[in-house]
Amino acid sequence: MSEIAQSNGICTQITTVKLPAGNQDEVLSLMKERARFMATQPGFISVNLHRSKDGSHVVNYVQWTSADKLTAAHQSPEFRKRWPQFGEMAREIEPCLYDVVHVESA
């Protein structure tokens, strides 16, 4: 389960994926397959996929116990071998690591 809290030590990566028209479902299908693989890797906490209503973007919100474990999962031979086409399916892929600085809840 996602844990969004200030200073909880969790590594958060948010990736924005800009898509060509008409392939959001195909990209999401591939990202779900990748998410299932990542869920088996050491340090994995959660992944959340979001689709834009206009079909032009997907946002991937992932959490890991450390940035090193996240990097190791992305660099694993199996990950590299299974999804090389992902980069070909998107216009732009912008991953970035974030720190939570404020949370307000009801």
Side-chain angles (χ1 to χ4, degrees):
M1 174 177 281
S2 300
E3 298 177 32
I4 302 174
Q6 187 176 353
S7 301
N8 64 359
I10 290 175
C11 173
T12 300
Q13 177 179 298
I14 300 172
T15 303
T16 303
V17 182
K18 186 174 182 179
L19 306 170
N23 75 339
Q24 189 182 55
D25 288 337
E26 182 181 4
V27 169
L28 277 167
S29 178
L30 182 66
M31 291 180 79
K32 288 175 188 177
E33 184 181 326
R34 288 168 37 135
R36 286 188 286 275
F37 168 79
M38 291 302 222
T40 68
Q41 300 305 295
F44 174 84
I45 296 173
S46 68
V47 62
N48 298 274
L49 299 172
H50 307 263
R51 70 169 50 212
S52 66
K53 293 192 178 281
D54 68 0
S56 66
H57 288 80
V58 171
V59 174
N60 184 12
Y61 183 100
V62 298
Q63 293 183 311
W64 291 78
T65 57
S66 74
D68 290 342
K69 289 181 180 178
L70 171 61
T71 299
H74 278 114
Q75 292 178 350
S76 73
E78 185 177 0
F79 182 84
R80 293 284 185 200
K81 179 182 171 185
R82 290 178 65 180
W83 297 286
Q85 76 275 30
F86 179 67
E88 300 165 7
M89 297 174 71
R91 284 193 181 147
E92 296 174 27
I93 303 170
E94 297 183 14
C96 194
L97 296 180
Y98 291 88
D99 291 322
V100 176
V101 296
H102 181 77
V103 176
E104 191 93 21
S105 300

